[in-house]
Amino acid sequence: MSRNGDKKPVGFATHITAGGIAGAMEAICCQPLDTIKVRMQLSKSGMAPGTKPRGFVATGLMIVRRETPLALYKGLGAVLSGIVPKMAIRFASFETYKEWLADKSTGNTRVGNIFIAGLAAGTTEAVAVVCPMEVVKIRLQAQQHSLADPLEAPRYRNAGHAVYTIIREEGFSALYRGVSLTALRQATNQGANFTAYQELKKLAHTYQPDLKDLPSYQHMIIGLISGAMGPFSNAPIDTIKTRLQKATYEPGTTAFQRIAAIANDMWKQEGIRSFYKGITPRVLRVAPGQAIVFAVYEKVRGIIETMNVSPSQDRYSE
């Protein structure tokens, strides 16, 4: 019987299709939690003596009351427009790096090299897609205007208008504000994510040797666990990145100076807890998001592989 580890690498078109569908499903299901996370990271609540920072439930309810439930999906257009190349690059680059780092005699990749492949895949997707997409998304999510009031005009009407306005007023480089932090966050995310997923998947197969492919619910559980690894390891990076990408450019300052200034300001004015603002909705968004991504990706990839296997090939796969 063939095992997942024995399968030949799938084509780039399969990564685009499976990854794109998986990413779109994840974005649609989890965008409200991401909007709440961004608002919490940008919030200055809890700074006054005797007050506490607004929690994620209170933040969500405030957005719904003041801006209508549709406001929870602000920035979704920016996410969806980048999700297909993002997921295609993530899975295709990971498989490519994993293959490069595999033992040439056995074809197997050691755990340490899987982590390195994940780091490289995360960095690749961050530079190619994620950073400019998130700059636009965060600018849209940070707008606290009511969608129910047509007279309350937002600064950015949609993702396309946001891109045009940012480039016109701040230059093309503004889309790559925070790229180093984004790359660091994505690298640690995908390093932890892919390593945990691959190892848990192997463990599941060890306890179920008769299964050719794991059922979707097991892919979801494994994806849920692996998806929670990244947010806990790099929450401060993500919070500083969010504030940096929301801020306008200050002439005469380097990226490092802006990052240091933001971190110093957060430490002095809000304390260490400010670095973990939005961690609850981020975990609630990322972990289920990865559960959806891996389950849908594995399902769609399996369907495509089945469609591409001829009857003669299928006889020899057992």
Side-chain angles (χ1 to χ4, degrees), residues 195-209:
T195 303
Y197 185 80
Q198 296 279 325
E199 291 306 301
L200 289 171
K201 194 174 169 183
K202 288 178 188 176
L203 185 64
H205 273 299
T206 301
Y207 284 101
Q208 302 166 105

Side-chain angles (χ1 to χ4, degrees), residues 84-122:
V84 172
K86 171 186 172 180
M87 289 300 175
I89 289 169
R90 173 181 297 180
F91 284 103
S93 63
F94 172 73
E95 292 295 339
T96 300
Y97 296 136
K98 181 184 169 187
E99 187 178 347
W100 287 350
L101 296 168
D103 187 305
K104 303 306 177 186
S105 58
T106 64
N108 296 324
T109 309
R110 292 185 291 114
V111 177
N113 285 342
I114 288 176
F115 181 72
I116 293 171
L119 289 176

Side-chain angles (χ1 to χ4, degrees), residues 1-235:
M1 181 180 292
S2 82
R3 300 299 303 235
N4 278 11
D6 300 325
K7 290 180 180 177
K8 293 180 180 179
V10 297
F12 189 71
T14 300
H15 291 299
I16 292 175
T17 306
I21 294 172
M25 289 296 296
E26 184 247 8
I28 291 168
C29 293
C30 301
Q31 182 67 9
L33 287 169
D34 189 69
T35 299
I36 295 171
K37 180 213 75 170
V38 167
R39 290 292 182 86
M40 288 180 71
Q41 290 177 331
L42 297 174
S43 172
K44 302 291 185 179
S45 65
M47 291 178 62
T51 62
K52 294 182 178 180
R54 191 180 295 112
F56 79 94
V57 173
T59 301
L61 290 174
M62 185 187 71
I63 293 171
V64 170
R65 282 197 304 266
R66 291 174 55 182
E67 306 169 49
T68 80
L70 286 176
L72 293 172
Y73 283 90
K74 284 180 178 179
L76 181 61
V79 175
L80 287 175
S81 65
I83 208 74
V84 172
K86 171 186 172 180
M87 289 300 175
I89 289 169
R90 173 181 297 180
F91 284 103
S93 63
F94 172 73
E95 292 295 339
T96 300
Y97 296 136
K98 181 184 169 187
E99 187 178 347
W100 287 350
L101 296 168
D103 187 305
K104 303 306 177 186
S105 58
T106 64
N108 296 324
T109 309
R110 292 185 291 114
V111 177
N113 285 342
I114 288 176
F115 181 72
I116 293 171
L119 289 176
T123 303
T124 303
E125 72 174 17
V127 175
V129 179
V130 177
C131 187
M133 180 184 75
E134 289 205 345
V135 169
V136 174
K137 174 183 71 70
I138 287 168
R139 294 291 183 94
L140 290 168
Q141 288 175 322
Q143 298 184 123
Q144 300 190 31
H145 68 286
S146 175
L147 297 176
D149 185 359
L151 297 179
E152 193 174 344
R155 177 173 173 76
Y156 307 114
R157 294 192 296 272
N158 49 50
H161 180 252
V163 171
Y164 171 76
T165 305
I166 291 169
I167 293 175
R168 186 190 64 190
E169 296 181 354
E170 303 173 53
F172 183 79
S173 63
L175 293 175
Y176 279 88
R177 188 164 300 148
V179 66
S180 58
L181 291 176
T182 304
L184 183 59
R185 186 201 64 183
Q186 291 303 112
T188 51
N189 266 350
Q190 300 317 318
N193 190 17
F194 276 115
T195 303
Y197 185 80
Q198 296 279 325
E199 291 306 301
L200 289 171
K201 194 174 169 183
K202 288 178 188 176
L203 185 64
H205 273 299
T206 301
Y207 284 101
Q208 302 166 105
D210 294 333
L211 284 181
K212 180 179 179 181
D213 293 299
L214 297 178
S216 292
Y217 82 89
Q218 291 189 22
H219 286 302
M220 289 195 75
I221 293 172
I222 295 171
L224 185 75
I225 297 169
S226 65
M229 301 292 183
F232 283 112
S233 65
N234 56 29

